[in-house]
Amino acid sequence: MSLNPDFIHELHKQFTGDIRLDSAAKILYSTDASIYQIEPLGVAIPKTQDDLQSAVELAAKYKIPILPRGTGSSLSGQAIGEALILDCSRWLDSILNIDPETRTATVEPGVVLSTLNSASAQLGLTFGPDPASAERATMGGVIANNATGAHSILYGMSADHIISADVILGDGTLEKWDSDGKSKLIPIVDLIRKNYEDDIKQNYPKTWRNSAGYRLNYLLPWSPSAPPHWVGENYPANLKPHTWNLAPLLAGSEGTLAVIRRATVNLVPKPKHTILGVLSYRSIADACDDVPRLLNFKPSAIELIPQMILHLARSVPAYARQMGWIVGDPSAVLVVEFSGDQPSALKEAVRRLGDVLTVAESLEDQSRIWNIRKMGLGLMDSRPQTARPVAFIEDCAIPVERLGEFVREIERIFSTHDTEGGIYAHASGGCLHIRPILNLQTKEGVRALRSISNQVFALTLKLGGSMSSEHGDGITSGEWIEQTFGKDVTNAMRMLKHAADPENLLNPNKMFDAPPMDRQLRFGEDYQVKVWNSTLHFNYERGLAGAVEHCNGQGVCLKSNGVMCPSYQATREEQNSTRGRANLLRGLITRNPNDEVTEAVAQALDLCLACKGCKAECPSGVDMAK
């Protein structure tokens, strides 16, 4: 499919932002942080809200699929597709209002979460859900993925904090979704409430930490369980029976229901004091077995860090310097956080935990521990091997009382496939990020991808869990939606999608319409490269191609602080980030490059300062200067 020339001509007349249809732009936006690669039809970067509205209206007129995107840190393939990419991260990034009295903030979709939190902190507030990617994740993406993080046992999911949103539907209609309940979707929502309530209550996963499918349970409102230390009165939050606020439906919808123009979200008081206690264990499963006991002490977070990440952290200079808190060589550690107003009470809470390996009281000491945990994804992918940790079962959420059982079965599945993997993350919420080590450039690796996925899904369903709990469905978990919810509930989701987007133009082929999860791989069994002879040796990186392929697309280089990446911080152009340069170089060695691509690579590398900031700070150890 290609863009209609009349559409392009008309868009140019109405659009003040950038429209990029060249080969280099398509390479840059053909990947996110997932294992997939799909070339878009083009890229439009709206400069104003009028630009965004014009693009959606014209796309509806010409039946052009569109895909709203933030910084592309998505892990399930939902930020890529055969569509016109609408990059909202560059200019639609204003914090429009922060109201300390109502504890709310109104933001455009391109606002980076850490930027919102920095501004809110001056008023003693913060956004409750705290994904590890906060320093680069935009609020549009945070909402679209129903993101949460380490403190989900207090603050729940992003869906629990959306108060209202100004949106554009698939046909270009402007609506405001709030407690007034005015939308042309109301008849369908009413029908779902009346006809599908029993099916929803019977078939939804038993865990509250769920991002699979649409949030139909919020329409009732109802949840099978609640965060153990939920800060609100009722759960789900901000909803009452017989009201019609559709805003929570945006959470986890991945841009398939509407395009967010701006959103008003709830803020929570920032804790006055925190303390961390670190406990060591002989195995990951033993650590998970202990989580229900630890929850009785009312912590604000419990995070799992395995030995694999601890070892790999010592190999990256920026993180090796932060490892002084680890004593010995534990197989796994749990980081238990307490928060509150009285430091003495927090110290006593840590003492009650048992044999504590380390206690971190100062913010500096706590930051060192959190930095290692938050960089877990990148650190696991820092090994220079063709077989790499692969993100495809890494968002499972299990009722916490069955977490140890789940881990033992996962380890058994790994063993039967003759592999190992990293298991870490949000133990307190029953959410473990799991990355088996596979070589997807072989038939055996792709077969293992499918086989492991099938077995883990069956296990997750058996234990009452969800395959998607904060990273979205996208392509990775889309095919499991109907088997998770059943045909009737999935049909209700399709009805909602059709009402909001009758022509299926908004991020098509995602969620329940996704292709098989083992297709359209970035590195598949047919992957081939053609490289030139280099005067530098790349033996450690498996050759020049291995060095180029080392970037996994997580986009840590898109943050606005630190030393990586200064050229991106100055220009905010994707091609001038470490990730952008790596993607362009990979495009150069995997296809017959044209003049556009060759020139784009030359320009991107020419602007690289060779400062080695990426080598120092990239958790995966990408060294663009070399």
Side-chain angles (χ1 to χ4, degrees):
M1 181 180 181
S2 59
L3 292 175
N4 186 317
D6 292 335
F7 167 77
I8 297 171
H9 176 72
E10 198 165 345
L11 184 61
H12 271 293
K13 290 196 300 183
Q14 299 186 28
F15 205 79
T16 63
D18 292 345
I19 301 171
R20 301 177 182 178
L21 308 177
D22 58 281
S23 300
K26 293 178 181 180
I27 289 173
L28 288 168
Y29 286 85
S30 66
T31 56
D32 51 11
S34 73
I35 60 177
Y36 303 104
Q37 178 168 324
I38 305 173
E39 187 169 287
L41 302 178
V43 180
I45 307 177
K47 187 173 287 187
T48 66
Q49 288 289 342
D50 287 342
D51 281 349
L52 184 62
Q53 182 179 347
S54 295
V56 178
E57 288 178 345
L58 287 173
K61 176 181 177 181
Y62 288 95
K63 305 295 187 292
I64 302 296
I66 56 175
L67 197 168
R69 170 169 161 146
T71 51
S73 58
S74 302
L75 288 157
S76 300
Q78 58 267 58
I80 57 175
E82 191 178 5
L84 177 68
I85 301 289
L86 300 178
D87 183 351
C88 298
S89 67
R90 177 73 185 277
W91 283 305
L92 300 184
D93 60 350
S94 296
I95 299 175
L96 303 174
N97 182 53
I98 298 179
D99 188 334
E101 293 186 4
T102 60
R103 293 178 180 172
T104 61
T106 301
V107 298
E108 290 187 309
V111 171
V112 173
L113 175 54
S114 63
T115 302
L116 172 62
N117 282 338
S118 294
S120 302
Q122 299 177 33
L123 302 170
L125 301 171
T126 190
F127 185 67
D130 57 338
S133 57
E135 62 187 0
R136 66 226 189 245
T138 63
M139 287 302 294
V142 168
I143 293 170
N145 286 332
N146 198 20
T148 185
H151 297 90
S152 63
I153 56 173
L154 293 179
Y155 305 125
M157 313 289 291
S158 287
D160 301 313
H161 298 271
I162 306 173
I163 297 172
S164 66
D166 295 322
V167 301
I168 315 173
L169 301 186
D171 61 2
T173 301
L174 298 181
E175 290 195 347
K176 185 177 184 66
W177 289 359
D178 59 12
S179 57
D180 289 342
K182 296 178 180 178
S183 169
K184 67 178 186 178
L185 274 60
I186 292 301
I188 291 296
V189 170
D190 190 30
L191 181 67
I192 291 172
R193 271 184 168 179
K194 290 178 179 177
N195 294 351
Y196 292 90
E197 179 175 355
D198 291 342
D199 291 319
I200 290 170
K201 290 183 176 180
Q202 179 179 342
N203 293 314
Y204 260 64
K206 305 309 177 188
T207 173
W208 55 269
R209 212 179 196 282
N210 173 37
S211 191
Y214 293 143
R215 312 277 71 72
L216 299 187
N217 61 309
Y218 280 65
L219 297 177
L220 303 182
W222 167 85
S223 176
S225 55
H229 306 321
W230 172 242
V231 295
E233 295 181 4
N234 302 308
Y235 194 81
N238 301 323
L239 299 172
K240 298 178 181 179
H242 313 299
T243 60
W244 300 98
N245 190 351
L246 305 187
L249 290 175
L250 293 168
S253 68
E254 302 176 1
T256 64
L257 290 179
V259 177
I260 299 173
R261 299 174 65 223
R262 59 183 68 88
T264 298
V265 297
N266 178 58
L267 301 176
V268 298
K270 190 175 176 64
K272 292 183 179 179
H273 302 282
T274 57
I275 192 171
L276 299 181
V278 180
L279 304 172
S280 65
Y281 297 87
R282 292 180 296 179
S283 71
I284 294 173
D286 285 350
C288 290
D289 285 338
D290 200 26
V291 172
R293 178 187 74 88
L294 296 174
L295 284 172
N296 292 326
F297 295 102
K298 306 294 184 183
S300 49
I302 305 174
E303 293 289 293
L304 171 68
I305 307 178
Q307 187 180 68
M308 176 185 289
I309 288 178
L310 297 175
H311 285 180
L312 291 171
R314 298 185 187 279
S315 67
V316 180
Y319 302 104
R321 294 190 293 268
Q322 303 181 50
M323 292 295 293
W325 52 276
I326 280 293
V327 178
D329 189 26
S331 295
V333 299
L334 288 177
V335 179
V336 185
E337 181 193 78
F338 293 93
S339 59
D341 296 337
Q342 299 296 329
S344 59
L346 302 184
K347 293 179 185 178
E348 178 59 29
V350 170
R351 280 195 288 268
R352 293 200 305 267
L353 293 177
D355 188 10
V356 178
L357 182 71
T358 300
V359 177
E361 297 184 43
S362 71
L363 292 178
E364 183 179 7
D365 287 344
Q366 292 179 46
S367 178
R368 293 190 185 100
I369 297 174
W370 278 118
N371 285 344
I372 302 303
R373 160 55 200 94
K374 290 181 177 181
M375 290 299 111
L377 285 179
L379 289 168
M380 280 201 297
D381 212 6
S382 62
R383 308 177 342 159
Q385 300 175 10
T386 307
R388 303 171 68 171
V390 181
F392 66 103
I393 54 168
E394 56 111 45
D395 198 26
C396 303
I398 306 297
V400 71
E401 64 274 10
R402 307 195 73 173
L403 202 55
E405 176 185 356
F406 176 71
V407 167
R408 290 180 177 88
E409 283 298 302
I410 290 293
E411 291 174 338
R412 182 193 62 78
I413 292 171
F414 283 0
S415 178
T416 61
H417 289 84
D418 195 26
T419 189
E420 59 179 347
I423 303 175
Y424 73 104
H426 316 304
S428 54
C431 171
L432 296 181
H433 297 329
I434 306 168
R435 290 202 168 193
I437 297 174
L438 301 174
N439 182 0
L440 295 185
Q441 297 183 32
T442 65
K443 291 182 179 180
E444 293 77 12
V446 176
R447 281 198 294 265
L449 177 81
R450 164 59 66 182
S451 176
I452 292 173
S453 185
N454 289 344
Q455 293 182 41
V456 171
F457 171 70
L459 173 63
T460 300
L461 206 61
K462 172 186 171 184
L463 298 179
S466 171
M467 286 290 280
S468 173
S469 70
E470 65 176 359
H471 293 166
D473 294 309
I475 300 172
T476 304
S477 300
E479 66 179 88
W480 307 124
I481 290 178
E482 185 165 333
Q483 295 181 61
T484 298
F485 294 101
K487 187 174 182 179
D488 289 341
V489 174
T490 304
N491 283 341
M493 293 180 183
R494 292 184 186 278
M495 290 166 52
L496 181 64
K497 164 70 171 174
H498 183 73
D501 179 26
E503 298 293 338
N504 194 28
L505 299 177
L506 299 180
N507 201 4
N509 302 316
K510 302 301 188 307
M511 301 180 71
F512 37 72
D513 291 327
M517 54 79 62
D518 51 356
R519 308 281 177 83
Q520 298 176 308
L521 299 173
R522 187 190 314 186
F523 301 110
E525 57 186 280
D526 297 326
Y527 179 79
Q528 294 182 344
V529 299
K530 184 178 181 180
V531 298
W532 58 91
N533 293 325
S534 171
T535 56
L536 297 177
H537 81 78
F538 290 90
N539 297 339
Y540 177 75
E541 297 89 350
R542 300 178 292 108
L544 176 59
V548 171
E549 296 160 2
H550 207 47
C551 174
N552 54 36
Q554 288 179 44
V556 179
C557 48
L558 304 182
K559 58 190 176 67
S560 60
N561 57 4
V563 298
M564 177 183 70
C565 173
S567 55
Y568 174 79
Q569 292 170 8
T571 65
R572 296 189 67 189
E573 286 282 356
E574 175 75 22
Q575 74 174 40
N576 296 327
S577 67
T578 305
R579 179 178 74 176
R581 293 184 175 104
N583 279 334
L584 287 172
L585 283 168
R586 190 162 43 79
L588 196 66
I589 66 175
T590 57
R591 61 173 69 194
N592 293 320
N594 56 30
D595 291 342
E596 288 178 338
V597 175
T598 303
E599 179 62 24
V601 171
Q603 290 180 1
L605 294 180
D606 183 59
L607 205 58
C608 176
L609 302 180
C611 66
K612 294 283 187 176
C614 49
K615 180 175 175 59
E617 285 193 353
C618 175
S620 298
V622 174
D623 184 355
M624 186 53 60
K626 183 177 180 181

